[in-house]
């Protein structure tokens, strides 16, 4: 199914956003986040942005203090996922303007709305920034 | 910008976020969240919570769950929020519900109604929100409740609704394919949608469908190719570009589909050649996204029917990846290489040094990927080096999952390509030593069988040599702590059978060692059983050879201890051993013949040796045995009535309340058969639960495949030592999803023979640090055509069987309008009219007025990284900038406290200021964003106080 989860975690390993595309219980999520965050944070800048973990791969990318982690199936194109992360950050940046960790924390629901537009059923369905942001703009205006 | 209005959250919420943001440790964060849970529990149940407030509570609940705590007390409020009429509240409610609940949660039933209602809404945003929820919350049972509406929405005028409806239907297909088989044609229809987004979305379900059944979609090859061509030729609106690459994610999805459709199908593949060739030529390799597409092209080329030109282009790109300094590209290169060598094994040689660099790289991911590659290119000439490498790596890691995988790969390669028995035994020993608990128990039995059977019939001397070398190696290892149980069982068995055979070791020495094993593993009954039986065998061989056996005191102690064991099995073994010690040499030889592990044991199922005894008994007037099948009816006539009430009266009422338990018939028959010879207390051999001389006795195996294994063994000939043992084609090793491509594809006999022929071949290569030599040993040997892996695990989807299916019948599933390629105007859309402009439908109209109030939406900011904020600007600057921002009154009071107090803030301020100034200079359209943001945040009291200074850092800065 492609993407299994998307996680935003800061340098201290604190979760800032979590979206799973298959159901995991709270305990499973906690354990998984702990494990992969430990794995990814331990890596250096020069090493690959991919980590194998159990039956899937984690593609991650760091922006300032935030790590974006995407868990994908084994036959997913890692480089493409890496760029998908960047697209997500660019989209957030377009919306928030100079997006920072705090933006995501204060507007958690908006970050989720963007993801809802971009990924469905674990597949990337929308990459057009205007399309992604249109509903959010409309909701902003309405309220 | 959009976010500016959003700061209107309550102080409470801001404080919560602030404290979470500044928590120094997980413990502190937990404390904050637990406190928050208490607050929420009180607040959320208060009557008349204003809606906006409730939305905030819901978001706080999302935080609680995200940070790993249970928020189930508030789920119901999230559900209620989905009923709200206001779009933002509704969507927030749906979001929370999808984050909280799985599709089988009890509360879902309360939402289905709302979803149904919302799917009919006039406001397309409400419909979209509901469709999002459908994708996450609807399970097989509730699909029928929403299915008709979802299907209707496939024709909705708004493209975003159509897109989401496609995905909802895709979800249904994933959940319950049978429910929507009649609807799959919709996916084909949407492939021709006017909107590129909808078309792109329809590729997701089509990818799944093609994966399932290639042959039904052969007719779409032309369409996919033409779409790919148009996309790559920039016929889509610019807004779909990513870093100047036209709709790259759509291109990649298309390439994946083509890879499936072209596998093993020459005709389909021919259609793809032009477009693939163009993409190789035109795709720029300077950007990540360009390389992502190139990599996908390689995958496609290596999957479809081979074409020399394309393969050459693919090899070129691969070598560029491998030569890159960037690890990510190297990784992709290794993966690409492992795909290409399936088609042409020679390609690897060119890149041997690059591969070895990757193998020795400290980056674990890269190393693993390279080991994967090596695993795929293993042949008998390089198996020793590769397996050595794999074992070294296996020893170095702790991850159980991957350790298991590597261990079973080592075993697989060793079994398949081993150059000599000696090497095989040593290799398996190593695997056992370091990952014994993780490997499949069958490996142990294989090893035992190999040692027992040796090379086969002709060369007895070599067999003995093999055995004594095994014995030597085990005596060396046996003292090590923490050996896995399975391995100890093998060791005990081998020592029992062969340790004293060549006279090198004395019986008492071996028995001493075995006693040590039993003592050291006093918790493991199986190992103890193996050990004591091994001791028994050694005693038996000694007695049979006419020597006197003197049990060591520790040995005697062990036997005494086991005689009183709680395990009846161990007791029996101990008693057997004691009984055996009292027998004469002839009897012992009959019970425990030397080196008889390979003899077949014939089981006389008719127990004919009892005939005379039975005859005697009958003559004395005993009742004849009645076979079970004939028993029921006849019982009432015979005299059994008292014992066999139940049998006789099974069709009538029983009046005795509590009947004594009755002995069942078979056991009743048993006591009448005394043991064949009464002084041999323990048992004919075949009754021994663990260890008969047959090495493959299935009992100790606990997994479910044991019976199958037992059955299989009889069929196996000695010849199949190497190659794939026949049973392993049925039950794969525990970690095998990706492991057994060959088994699935079936391996031909000739291949097995080929592998066997390498048996005696010795390799000169030794593992040396020197790369050249390593390279030579990995790649150097002329790449024989013994390359087996014609299909790797990923290529499994394209099994030959499917490929051969005729193409003809597809037409029935493909209505004609669908077959034609998408109309050209599909992709010639006016760019911005639809996607960019604010939607002008009636629903949205009210918002139009608001537009004037907000600034013009900014254009995409330039995304080059900031060259680091110059540290030149001072805090003075910062203050000046703050003066400009709105809300001066509050701000100045803030500024006052800022200057006056908090040293930690002060110490940080230059940095904040400077980074903001840096971006001001850089980013034209939205100059003061971060400044304003900082300012406003501080204004409401969110001041990162040194603990987490990064909260304000621009992610893209």
């Amino acid at each position: 199914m492609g993407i299994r989860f998307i996680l935003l975690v800061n340098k201290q390993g604190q979760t800032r956003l979590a979206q799973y595309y298959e159901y995991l219980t709270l305990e499973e999520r906690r354990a998984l986040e702990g494990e992969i965050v430990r794995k990814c944070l331990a890596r250096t800048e020069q090493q690959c942005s991919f980590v194998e973990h159990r039956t899937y791969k984690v593609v991650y990318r760091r922006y300032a203090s935030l790590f974006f982690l995407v868990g994908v199936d084994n036959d997913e194109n890692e480089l493409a996922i890496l760029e998908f992360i960047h697209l997500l950050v660019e989209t957030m940046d377009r919306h928030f303007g100079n997006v920072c960790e705090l933006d995501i924390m204060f507007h958690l629901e908006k970050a989720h709305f963007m993801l809802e537009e971009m990924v469905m059923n674990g597949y990337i369905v929308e990459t057009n920034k205007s399309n992604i942001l249109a509903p959010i703009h409309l909701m902003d205006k309405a309220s | 910008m959009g976010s500016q209005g959003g700061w209107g959250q309550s102080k409470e919420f801001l404080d919560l976020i602030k404290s979470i943001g500044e928590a120094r440790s997980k413990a502190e964060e937990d404390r904050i969240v637990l406190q928050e849970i208490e607050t929420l529990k009180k607040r959320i149940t208060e009557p008349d919570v204003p809606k906006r407030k409730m939305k905030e509570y819901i978001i706080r609940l999302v935080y609680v769950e995200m940070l790993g705590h249970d928020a189930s007390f508030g789920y119901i409020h999230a559900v209620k929020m989905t009923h709200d009429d206001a779009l933002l509240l509704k969507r927030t409610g749906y979001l929370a519900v999808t984050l909280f609940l799985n599709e089988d949660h009890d509360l879902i039933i309360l939402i289905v109604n709302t979803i149904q209602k919302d799917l009919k809404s006039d406001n397309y945003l409400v419909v979209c929100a509901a469709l999002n929820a459908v994708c996450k919350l609807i399970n097989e049972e509730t699909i029928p409740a929403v299915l008709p509406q979802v299907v209707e929405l496939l024709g909705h005028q708004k493209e975003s609704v159509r897109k989401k409806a496609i995905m909802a239907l895709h979800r249904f297909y994933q959940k319950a394919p049978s429910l929507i088989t009649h609807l799959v044609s919709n996916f084909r229809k949407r492939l021709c949608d006017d909107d590129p987004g909808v078309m792109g979305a329809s590729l997701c379900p089509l990818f799944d469908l093609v994966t399932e059944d290639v042959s039904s979609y052969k007719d779409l090859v032309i369409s996919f190719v033409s779409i790919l061509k148009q996309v790559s030729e920039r016929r889509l609106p610019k807004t779909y570009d990513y870093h100047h690459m036209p709709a790259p994610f759509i291109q990649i999805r298309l390439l994946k589909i083509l890879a499936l459709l072209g596998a093993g199908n020459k005709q389909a593949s021919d259609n793809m050649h032009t477009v693939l060739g163009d993409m190789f030529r035109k795709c720029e390799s300077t950007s990540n996204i360009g390389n992502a597409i190139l990599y996908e092209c390689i995958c496609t080329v290596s999957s479809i029917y081979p074409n020399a030109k394309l393969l050459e282009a693919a090899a070129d790109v691969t070598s560029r990846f491998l030569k890159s300094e960037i690890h990510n590209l190297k990784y992709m290169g290794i993966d690409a290489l492992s795909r290409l060598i399936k088609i042409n094994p020679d390609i690897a040689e060119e890149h041997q040094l690059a591969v070895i660099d990757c193998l020795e790289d400290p980056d674990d991911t890269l190393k693993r990927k390279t080991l994967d590659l090596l695993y795929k290119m293993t042949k008998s000439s390089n198996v020793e080096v590769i397996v050595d490498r794999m074992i070294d790596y296996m020893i170095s890691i702790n991850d159980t999952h991957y350790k298991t995988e590597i261990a079973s790969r080592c075993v697989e390669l060793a079994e398949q390509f081993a150059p000599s028995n000696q090497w095989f035994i040593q290799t398996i020993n190593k695997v056992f030593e370091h990952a014994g608990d993780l490997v499949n128990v069958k490996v142990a039995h294989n090893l035992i069988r190999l040692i027992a059977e040796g090379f086969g019939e002709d060369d007895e001397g070599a067999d003995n040599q093999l055995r004594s070398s095994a014995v030597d190696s085990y005596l060396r290892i046996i003292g090590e702590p923490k050996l896995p149980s399975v391995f100890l069982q093998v060791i005990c068995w081998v020592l029992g059978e062969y340790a004293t055979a060549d006279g090198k070791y004395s019986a008492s020495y071996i028995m001493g060692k075995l006693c040590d094993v039993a003592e050291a593993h006093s918790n493991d009954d199986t190992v103890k059983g193996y050990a004591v039986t091994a001791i028994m065998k050694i005693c038996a061989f000694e007695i049979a050879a006419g020597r006197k056996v003197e049990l060591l005191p520790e040995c005697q102690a062990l036997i005494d201890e086991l005689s009183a064991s709680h395990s009846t099995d161990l007791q029996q073994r101990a008693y057997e051993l004691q009984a055996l010690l009292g027998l004469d040499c002839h009897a012992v030889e009959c019970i425990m013949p030397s080196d008889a592990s390979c003899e077949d044991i014939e089981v006389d199922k008719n127990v004919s040796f009892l005939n005379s005894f039975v005859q005697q008994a009958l003559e004395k007037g005993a009742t004849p045995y009645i076979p079970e099948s004939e028993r029921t009816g006849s019982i009432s006539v015979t005299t059994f009535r008292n014992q066999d009430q139940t049998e006789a009266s099974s069709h009538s009422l029983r009046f005795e309340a509590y009947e004594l338990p009755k002995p069942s018939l078979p056991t009743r028959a048993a006591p009448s058969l005394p043991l064949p010879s009464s002084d041999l207390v323990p048992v004919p051999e075949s009754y021994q639960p663990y260890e008969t001389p047959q090495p493959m006795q299935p009992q100790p195996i606990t997994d479910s495949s044991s019976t199958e294994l037992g059955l299989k063994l009889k069929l196996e000939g000695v010849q199949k030592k190497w190659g794939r043992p026949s049973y392993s084609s049925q039950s794969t090793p525990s970690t095998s999803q990706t492991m057994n491509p060959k088994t699935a594809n079936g391996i031909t006999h000739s291949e097995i023979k080929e592998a066997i022929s390498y048996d005696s071949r010795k390799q000169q290569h030794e593992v040396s640090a020197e790369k050249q030599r390593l390279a030579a040993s990995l790649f150097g040997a002329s790449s024989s055509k013994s390359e087996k892996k014609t299909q790797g695990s990923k290529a499994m989807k394209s099994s030959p069987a499917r490929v051969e299916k005729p193409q003809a019948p597809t037409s029935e599933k493909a209505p004609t309008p669908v077959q034609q390629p998408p109309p050209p105007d599909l992709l010639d859309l006016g760019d911005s009219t639809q996607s960019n402009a604010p939607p002008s439908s009636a629903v949205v109209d009210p918002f139009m007025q608001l537009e004037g109030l907000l600034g013009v939406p900014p254009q995409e900011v330039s995304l080059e990284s900031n060259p680091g904020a110059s540290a030149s600007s001072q805090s003075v600057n910062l203050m000046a900038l703050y003066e400009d921002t709105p809300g001066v009154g509050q701000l100045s009071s803030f500024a006052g406290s800022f200057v006056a107090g908090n040293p930690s803030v002060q110490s940080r301020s230059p940095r904040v200021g400077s980074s903001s100034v840096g971006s001001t200079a850089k980013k034209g359209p939205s100059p003061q964003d971060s400044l304003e943001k900082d300012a406003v945040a501080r204004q409401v009291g969110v001041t990162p106080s040194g603990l987490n200074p990064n909260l304000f850092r621009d992610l893209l800065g």
Side-chain angles (χ1 to χ4, degrees):
Chain A
M1 88 170 174
I3 297 176
R4 302 214 194 168
F5 57 81
I6 296 173
L7 281 179
L8 270 60
V9 178
N10 74 1
K11 261 195 328 204
Q12 286 82 27
Q14 295 158 317
T15 311
R16 290 295 172 244
L17 182 149
Q19 176 64 269
Y20 290 82
Y21 295 95
E22 59 191 344
Y23 183 77
L24 296 180
T25 63
L26 209 57
E27 290 72 35
E28 286 166 334
R29 292 178 187 204
R30 250 187 121 130
L32 178 138
E33 286 169 28
E35 270 178 72
I36 62 168
V37 167
R38 221 175 306 126
K39 265 191 181 178
C40 293
L41 297 199
R43 296 171 64 81
T44 65
E45 298 261 340
Q46 289 77 42
Q47 295 183 329
C48 306
S49 317
F50 323 127
V51 176
E52 285 179 34
H53 185 75
R54 296 177 192 278
T55 54
Y56 50 86
K57 283 179 295 202
V58 178
V59 179
Y60 69 93
R61 198 159 177 168
R62 183 181 163 171
Y63 292 89
S65 56
L66 261 197
F67 283 82
F68 287 65
L69 308 152
V70 180
V72 293
D73 282 341
N74 269 319
D75 49 2
E76 206 60 29
N77 183 330
E78 294 91 343
L79 276 183
I81 297 296
L82 206 58
E83 291 311 290
F84 165 74
I85 295 177
H86 194 71
L87 174 68
L88 173 62
V89 177
E90 281 183 14
T91 310
M92 288 179 171
D93 196 70
R94 182 189 279 201
H95 182 73
F96 293 116
N98 304 75
V99 63
C100 64
E101 187 177 337
L102 214 51
D103 283 317
I104 297 167
M105 294 184 73
F106 276 127
H107 304 283
L108 188 62
E109 77 275 20
K110 281 189 190 165
H112 269 293
F113 292 157
M114 289 179 208
L115 274 183
E116 280 184 341
E117 299 299 319
M118 294 173 80
V119 182
M120 293 180 86
N121 307 342
Y123 284 112
I124 299 169
V125 291
E126 187 60 80
T127 56
N128 182 331
K129 293 194 192 87
S130 337
N131 286 0
I132 297 167
L133 293 177
I136 298 164
H137 284 313
L138 289 173
M139 277 191 285
D140 272 354
K141 285 176 194 170
S143 56
Chain B
M1 310 270 285
S3 65
Q4 242 62 51
W7 292 96
Q9 289 125 328
S10 77
K11 178 87 170 71
E12 214 179 29
F13 180 74
L14 297 173
D15 284 345
L16 171 71
I17 301 302
K18 182 191 168 199
S19 57
I20 291 174
E22 290 176 358
R24 285 160 224 262
S25 64
K26 187 73 192 155
E28 193 181 334
E29 187 187 276
D30 282 346
R31 211 163 41 244
I32 296 167
V33 176
L34 287 175
Q35 201 187 341
E36 175 67 13
I37 291 176
E38 289 314 307
T39 319
L40 282 175
K41 271 186 183 163
K42 269 188 244 118
R43 296 288 193 72
I44 210 162
T45 48
E46 281 170 8
D48 301 329
V49 181
K51 281 176 180 176
R52 282 205 74 88
K53 196 75 190 159
M54 187 53 99
K55 175 188 167 236
E56 194 182 295
Y57 289 153
I58 300 289
I59 304 284
R60 282 156 76 172
L61 284 173
V62 171
Y63 261 100
V64 168
E65 286 245 320
M66 183 176 83
L67 297 175
H69 297 264
D70 179 45
S72 54
F73 63 89
Y75 288 175
I76 187 69
H77 299 282
V79 171
K80 274 189 204 153
M81 183 154 277
T82 62
H83 305 335
D84 202 288
D85 289 331
L87 176 60
L88 182 62
L89 298 188
K90 184 183 276 298
R91 186 145 184 202
T92 308
Y94 274 132
L95 170 70
V97 170
T98 56
L99 291 171
F100 292 151
L101 307 182
N102 69 342
E103 54 183 33
D104 298 321
H105 198 281
D106 293 340
L107 289 175
I108 297 287
I109 202 70
L110 298 178
I111 303 169
V112 173
N113 244 327
T114 320
I115 291 181
Q116 280 179 318
K117 202 175 96 237
D118 288 343
L119 287 176
K120 289 181 194 142
S121 167
D122 293 336
N123 186 339
Y124 81 93
L125 290 172
V126 171
V127 180
C128 285
L131 283 170
N132 280 337
V134 164
C135 283
K136 288 260 189 166
L137 299 176
I138 295 296
N139 66 12
E140 204 175 332
E141 282 164 34
T142 37
I143 286 177
V146 294
L147 185 58
Q149 282 158 328
V150 169
V151 173
E152 200 177 308
L153 291 173
L154 288 171
H156 197 274
Q157 53 164 347
K158 233 16 210 171
E159 60 280 346
S160 57
V161 173
R162 291 202 298 275
K163 185 174 67 193
K164 283 179 191 287
I166 284 274
M167 292 316 282
L169 203 57
H170 174 223
R171 180 66 173 171
F172 300 160
Y173 174 77
Q174 289 176 328
K175 286 279 151 198
S178 57
L179 281 181
I180 65 149
T181 38
H182 58 295
L183 295 169
V184 287
S185 63
N186 282 299
F187 298 132
R188 286 164 168 268
K189 248 180 251 162
R190 286 301 133 207
L191 185 63
C192 311
D193 198 281
D194 287 344
D195 182 76
V198 181
M199 181 274 292
S202 74
L203 295 176
C204 305
L206 282 171
F207 174 74
D208 282 359
L209 287 163
V210 173
T211 312
E212 287 288 308
D213 175 16
V214 177
S215 57
S216 309
Y217 293 88
K218 286 264 181 273
D219 57 306
L220 285 182
V221 171
I222 310 269
S223 311
F224 288 130
V225 167
S226 106
I227 296 174
L228 180 57
K229 192 166 147 55
Q230 294 179 64
V231 174
S232 66
E233 286 172 357
R234 302 181 179 278
R235 306 273 298 276
L236 286 195
K238 269 257 179 290
T239 42
Y240 285 89
D241 281 11
Y242 172 81
H243 292 192
H244 310 299
M245 186 60 72
F249 297 94
I250 290 180
Q251 290 194 46
I252 287 171
R253 182 66 55 201
L254 282 165
L255 284 166
K256 277 187 193 296
I257 295 178
L258 290 183
L260 295 173
L261 287 169
N265 182 333
K266 186 161 188 316
Q267 200 194 347
S269 304
D270 285 344
N271 288 321
M272 305 169 192
H273 289 165
T274 326
V275 69
L276 287 172
D278 285 350
M279 290 178 75
F280 272 123
R281 251 197 317 283
K282 280 193 279 187
C283 212
E284 57 155 339
S285 56
T286 47
S287 66
N288 251 344
I289 194 68
N291 286 324
I293 292 177
L294 283 172
Y295 164 79
E296 204 59 53
C297 287
I298 298 175
C299 296
T300 307
V301 165
S302 59
S303 161
I304 63 174
Y305 192 90
N307 171 287
K309 249 193 184 147
L310 290 177
L311 282 171
E312 202 178 306
D316 285 348
V317 176
T318 306
S319 89
R320 207 164 61 226
F321 284 173
L322 284 169
K323 282 176 190 144
S324 164
E325 282 305 304
I326 303 164
H327 270 181
N328 285 347
L329 286 185
K330 281 192 186 179
Y331 176 94
M332 301 314 270
I334 294 280
D335 187 274
L337 191 59
S338 72
R339 288 163 189 273
L340 291 175
I341 56 164
K342 283 176 217 152
I343 300 164
N344 180 5
D346 298 337
I347 294 178
E349 277 173 50
E350 188 190 327
H351 303 294
Q352 28 186 294
L353 288 180
V355 170
I356 297 204
D357 276 342
C358 293
L359 186 63
E360 291 179 348
D361 199 282
D363 184 348
D364 194 56
T365 306
L366 201 52
K367 189 176 277 191
R368 269 187 207 189
K369 197 76 191 170
T370 315
L371 283 174
D372 280 355
L373 169 70
L374 293 185
Y375 165 72
K376 285 178 186 157
M377 53 181 264
T378 307
K379 47 199 173 195
S380 35
S381 59
N382 58 14
V383 64
E384 289 169 272
V385 189
I386 289 177
V387 172
D388 267 358
R389 284 274 161 169
M390 286 167 80
I391 290 178
D392 284 349
Y393 180 68
M394 183 186 80
I395 295 170
S396 74
I397 56 173
N398 290 321
D399 178 345
T400 323
H401 178 83
Y402 202 60
K403 215 168 184 162
T404 314
E405 190 174 322
I406 297 227
S408 54
R409 281 184 173 188
C410 287
V411 171
E412 191 196 332
L413 292 179
E415 287 183 349
Q416 204 177 343
F417 297 113
S420 70
N421 285 359
Q422 202 103 19
W423 180 85
F424 178 80
I425 290 177
Q426 280 168 3
T427 305
I428 302 292
N429 281 355
K430 267 193 234 161
V431 174
F432 269 124
E433 217 180 316
H434 299 288
D437 291 325
L438 305 172
V439 294
N440 196 305
V441 70
K442 280 184 299 232
V443 175
H445 296 277
N446 249 356
L447 179 61
I448 291 182
R449 189 160 49 109
L450 173 81
I451 295 174
E453 291 173 351
F455 287 94
E457 47 297 306
D458 35 7
D459 193 352
E460 195 57 35
D463 288 359
N464 287 335
Q465 203 192 342
L466 170 76
R467 288 167 191 160
S468 46
S469 77
V471 168
D472 285 343
S473 66
Y474 291 152
L475 285 174
R476 259 200 312 279
I477 297 173
I478 200 168
E480 307 230 343
K482 287 191 191 163
L483 287 180
S485 171
V486 188
F487 191 36
L488 282 166
Q489 293 164 29
V490 174
I491 292 180
C492 288
W493 189 88
V494 172
L495 290 184
E497 283 287 326
Y498 304 115
T500 54
D502 60 358
K504 198 165 148 194
Y505 301 101
S506 75
S508 59
Y509 173 72
I510 302 293
M511 285 197 277
K513 286 281 185 194
L514 289 166
C515 285
D516 292 346
V517 171
E519 245 167 68
H521 300 83
S522 50
N523 292 328
D524 191 335
D525 279 358
T526 318
V527 169
K528 277 201 281 192
Y530 268 88
V532 79
T533 305
I535 292 174
M536 174 156 68
K537 280 191 217 160
I538 289 171
C539 291
F541 299 154
E542 287 297 292
I543 295 170
R547 286 190 285 268
K548 181 98 183 73
V549 176
E550 279 178 32
L551 280 188
L552 303 166
E554 68 220 61
C555 211
Q556 191 58 53
L558 176 71
I559 295 172
D560 292 344
E561 182 209 317
L562 294 187
S563 320
S565 165
H566 285 302
S567 154
T568 49
D569 170 62
L570 289 179
Q571 266 193 40
Q572 180 172 352
R573 284 165 196 265
Y575 281 121
E576 279 173 22
L577 173 52
Q578 273 172 330
L580 181 129
L581 289 172
L583 295 177
D584 65 42
C585 131
H586 179 70
V588 168
E589 203 158 36
C590 291
I591 310 162
M592 284 279 174
S594 168
D595 192 17
S597 60
C598 302
E599 313 282 313
D600 286 333
I601 294 175
E602 281 177 30
V603 179
D604 184 356
K605 280 188 185 160
N606 296 323
V607 278
S608 56
F609 56 90
L610 290 174
N611 281 351
S612 61
F613 176 82
V614 172
Q615 198 58 40
Q616 246 175 9
L618 284 176
E619 277 163 15
K620 283 181 190 162
T623 340
Y625 174 73
I626 304 165
E628 205 169 1
S629 49
E630 297 166 20
R631 233 169 270 159
T632 347
S634 60
I635 271 165
S636 52
V637 248
T638 61
T639 55
F640 287 170
R641 203 188 314 152
N642 46 349
Q643 291 112 335
D644 298 296
Q645 279 302 352
T646 41
E647 289 281 356
S649 58
S650 59
H651 295 295
S652 58
L653 287 174
R654 279 195 277 163
F655 297 99
E656 290 164 74
Y658 299 103
E659 207 173 349
L660 281 175
K662 51 126 197 158
S664 68
L665 269 182
T667 48
R668 210 182 140 265
S672 69
L673 308 172
L675 288 167
S677 92
S678 48
D679 48 359
L680 244 195
V681 186
V683 183
E685 260 172 343
S686 54
Y687 283 8
Q688 294 181 20
Y690 280 110
E691 193 174 343
T692 67
Q694 252 183 331
M696 301 310 258
Q697 183 76 3
Q699 247 98 342
I701 308 166
T702 48
D703 66 354
S704 58
S705 62
S706 59
T707 46
E708 176 195 274
L709 178 64
L711 282 176
K712 271 299 198 189
L713 283 167
K714 290 176 192 160
L715 305 173
E716 275 179 311
V718 188
Q719 284 302 324
K720 292 192 184 167
K721 258 184 328 246
W722 305 125
R724 310 198 56 74
S726 52
Y727 59 77
S728 64
S729 62
Q730 311 216 340
S731 46
T732 51
S734 49
T735 54
S736 61
Q737 309 157 337
T738 56
M739 284 289 312
N740 255 338
K742 284 158 293 161
T743 357
N745 284 345
I747 190 159
T748 65
H749 245 306
S750 62
E751 281 170 328
I752 295 173
K753 292 235 177 71
E754 196 176 3
I756 294 167
S757 74
Y758 285 106
D759 267 3
S760 52
R761 188 165 160 188
K762 301 273 181 200
Q763 289 289 311
Q764 300 307 318
H765 304 304
E766 280 170 36
V767 190
S768 74
E770 203 192 331
K771 278 181 201 168
Q772 290 289 359
R773 289 191 55 193
L774 178 57
S777 51
L778 284 175
F779 304 89
S782 67
S783 47
S784 66
K785 298 302 168 202
S786 67
E787 201 60 48
K788 294 187 172 186
K789 320 258 173 166
T790 49
Q791 294 205 304
S793 47
K794 284 187 187 177
M796 287 290 297
K797 290 162 196 156
S798 53
S799 84
R802 237 177 281 150
V803 170
E804 282 156 18
K805 280 188 192 168
Q807 246 181 307
T810 50
S811 54
E812 67 191 40
K813 275 199 172 179
T816 34
V818 182
Q819 272 173 320
Q820 44 187 299
D825 62 339
L826 151 76
L827 304 166
D828 285 337
L829 293 163
D831 179 348
S832 50
T833 42
Q834 286 177 319
S835 38
N836 264 349
S840 53
S841 70
V843 195
V844 198
D845 264 342
F847 309 144
M848 297 284 278
Q849 304 155 306
L850 291 169
E851 224 173 356
L853 300 174
L854 296 155
V856 185
Q859 297 313 300
E860 189 176 347
V861 281
S862 76
L863 291 158
E864 316 92 283
S865 58
N866 265 333
S870 64
S872 62
S873 53
Q874 302 303 316
S875 47
V876 187
N877 258 349
L878 174 76
M879 300 316 293
L881 280 161
Y882 271 57
E883 230 80 79
D884 287 344
T885 55
V888 183
Q890 286 159 297
L891 189 66
S892 57
S893 69
F894 163 72
S897 70
F898 181 38
V899 176
N902 211 336
S904 63
V905 173
Q906 236 165 358
S907 66
R908 227 192 71 73
S909 51
R911 251 204 291 167
V912 175
S914 60
S915 81
S916 314
V917 171
S919 52
T920 309
K922 193 81 190 160
K923 304 192 175 183
S926 56
Q928 289 189 323
D929 269 348
S930 4
L931 278 179
E932 282 172 15
K933 216 183 292 173
D934 284 9
V936 180
R938 283 160 197 284
Q939 196 176 331
V940 294
V942 187
T943 318
S945 50
L947 285 176
N948 195 351
N950 291 310
L951 283 174
F952 282 132
R953 280 228 338 245
D954 294 352
L955 295 183
L956 283 170

